[in-house]
Amino acid sequence: MTSKVEDIVQEVYDAYKTNHHSSQYVLQREKHFHYLKRGLRQLTEAYECLDASRPWLCYWILHSLELLDEPIPDSVASDVCQFLRRCQSPQGGFGGGPGQHPHLAPTYAAINALCIIGTEEAFGVIDRKKLLEYLYSLKQPDGSFLMHVGGEVDVRSAYCATSVASLTNILTPALFAGTAEWIARCQNWEGGIGGVPGMEAHGGYTFCGVAALVILKQEHLLNLRSLLRWVTGRQMRFEGGFQGRCNKLVDGCYSFWQAGLLPLLHRALHARGDPALSMAHWMFDQLALQEYILLCCQCPAGGLLDKPGKSRDFYHTCYCLSGLAIAQHFGSGDLHNEVVLGIPENCLQATHPVYNIAPEKVARAVMHFLQYPVPSLDPAPAAQ
């Protein structure tokens, strides 16, 4: 299977070399914009299987549009707010659609989508007190969280919980007591992080674990060197994209889940005063990743995909573009170095490597919710 993928990718790269003597790599902005704009209003029946992931569709599309620097019309933003309000559960948190049970994954997606919109209306949708109650209802004695009441435990829940709590100013030491230590137990002998302690290291879970620890300011609990060795080994030396696990195939979505780890690791190692760190580049081949995304992951009709031969979808559009942004932008603020492959118009807006929304949207949400105190919860009623 690996050699089959390599053969297809080789054909794409060969065709490019033959046809483009001027060597210009082009991000098909207009095509992607139309695909995304249409998807926000109407979806085909092919998306029926994602009926429990509707806040995710809002987030994937809104974040892709902000990366492309496409403004969201006020009327659309307001409609998304009203829709997400209907997804919010009376118990707190958000479900996958109106009237569905709350779940941490769509809760994360809904709050990210509302922060991207960033209006008073959007912030006003979130019932912070109920959200805090909901997070407490999922907390386990070992520090981990359930994904939903009666559901499974894995590292995703720790990330979703820390992400929404930190953005909305409901993060308390009591809520996350033991969480950082539990995440650290999920790092295995490979260096990456598995879904639960003892599981195989995986790009999605590793991102969730590291990002959660960054929010909790506990990255030092990990063996950062073995983590760095594991994640840098996941960039495919032939294709240039990333795989999610050892001995697996390249997949465009890991352009974010894996490459997004390197800014987080850079920051953690820099805080330790590591003298070997570059002040201009992340610790992966940024141009090779951009080449893979631009040549192998764009659908000619708009949207992005896993690998050549696969269909486009909004998930891969979001995470291919997010990975492209990570590869293009090193650092932030005063220390910022752009590394853009192809025409200058390929340059995307930057994304925050912890929350995967625009850095200024993170700042706006944090500043807004800091105006309000952490909600105080009523003592639990005595069992009858």
Side-chain angles (χ1 to χ4, degrees), residues 41-55:
R41 283 291 186 197
Q42 50 190 179
L43 294 171
T44 65
E45 62 273 17
Y47 276 88
E48 192 177 21
C49 60
L50 285 176
D51 185 59
S53 300
R54 290 171 71 185

Side-chain angles (χ1 to χ4, degrees), residues 15-291:
Y16 178 78
K17 274 191 202 148
T18 310
N19 300 332
H20 294 72
H21 302 297
S22 59
S23 271
Q24 284 294 14
Y25 299 83
V26 178
L27 178 67
Q28 301 294 334
R29 286 176 163 272
E30 206 59 31
K31 298 271 177 62
H32 302 324
F33 169 57
H34 286 297
Y35 170 64
L36 292 158
K37 192 174 78 164
R38 197 169 58 244
L40 209 45
R41 283 291 186 197
Q42 50 190 179
L43 294 171
T44 65
E45 62 273 17
Y47 276 88
E48 192 177 21
C49 60
L50 285 176
D51 185 59
S53 300
R54 290 171 71 185
W56 279 110
L57 290 161
C58 295
Y59 164 62
W60 293 332
I61 293 172
L62 290 177
H63 179 50
S64 299
L65 289 171
E66 73 168 347
L67 289 169
L68 292 166
D69 203 19
E70 293 288 355
I72 296 141
D74 292 346
S75 60
V76 175
S78 189
D79 286 350
V80 172
C81 291
Q82 293 309 311
F83 171 70
L84 292 174
R85 191 186 292 279
R86 291 168 54 219
C87 295
Q88 192 165 217
S89 164
Q91 301 131 270
F94 292 77
Q100 296 184 28
H101 289 303
H103 188 290
L104 268 180
T107 297
Y108 164 84
I111 285 174
N112 263 7
L114 292 166
C115 290
I116 291 168
I117 293 169
T119 57
E120 288 291 326
E121 181 187 16
F123 294 143
V125 170
I126 303 164
D127 186 330
R128 293 167 64 245
K129 185 174 185 198
K130 285 289 185 191
L131 178 58
L132 184 55
E133 288 174 7
Y134 180 59
L135 293 180
Y136 267 112
S137 75
L138 302 175
K139 178 74 188 292
Q140 299 302 290
D142 64 0
S144 65
F145 285 80
L146 300 174
M147 283 302 290
H148 60 98
V149 173
E152 74 280 18
V153 162
D154 61 56
V155 175
R156 289 175 306 155
S157 57
Y159 170 58
C160 293
T162 51
S163 177
V164 302
S166 56
L167 285 171
T168 61
N169 187 31
I170 60 172
L171 192 154
T172 65
L175 178 59
F176 292 103
T179 303
E181 292 77 9
W182 183 82
I183 296 170
R185 287 175 48 217
C186 296
Q187 185 174 27
N188 77 352
W189 56 269
E190 297 170 85
I193 294 173
V196 294
M199 288 286 283
E200 179 185 13
H202 179 290
Y205 292 125
T206 303
F207 174 83
C208 288
V210 175
L213 288 172
V214 168
I215 292 168
L216 297 172
K217 301 182 172 59
Q218 300 284 325
E219 312 96 296
H220 62 273
L221 294 179
L222 295 172
N223 181 333
L224 296 175
R225 286 307 176 94
S226 70
L227 175 56
L228 179 63
R229 184 173 176 277
W230 178 81
V231 66
T232 50
R234 302 284 68 76
Q235 186 168 21
M236 310 295 272
R237 53 174 66 174
F238 184 83
E239 298 94 322
F242 282 81
Q243 62 187 177
R245 289 177 282 165
C246 190
N247 289 327
K248 293 289 182 176
L249 302 177
V250 69
D251 182 336
C253 72
Y254 291 111
S255 304
F256 177 76
W257 300 122
Q258 299 283 32
L261 282 162
L262 289 151
L264 303 181
L265 276 168
H266 214 98
R267 182 172 166 274
L269 292 167
H270 182 64
R272 286 188 173 182
D274 193 314
L277 288 173
S278 161
M279 285 295 119
H281 299 280
W282 303 126
M283 287 179 279
F284 71 95
D285 189 330
Q286 292 166 245
L287 292 173
L289 179 59
Q290 292 180 57
E291 183 175 53

Side-chain angles (χ1 to χ4, degrees), residues 338-349:
E338 281 181 8
V339 183
V340 179
L341 181 68
I343 58 173
E345 291 76 18
N346 289 350
C347 189
L348 295 171
Q349 296 296 299

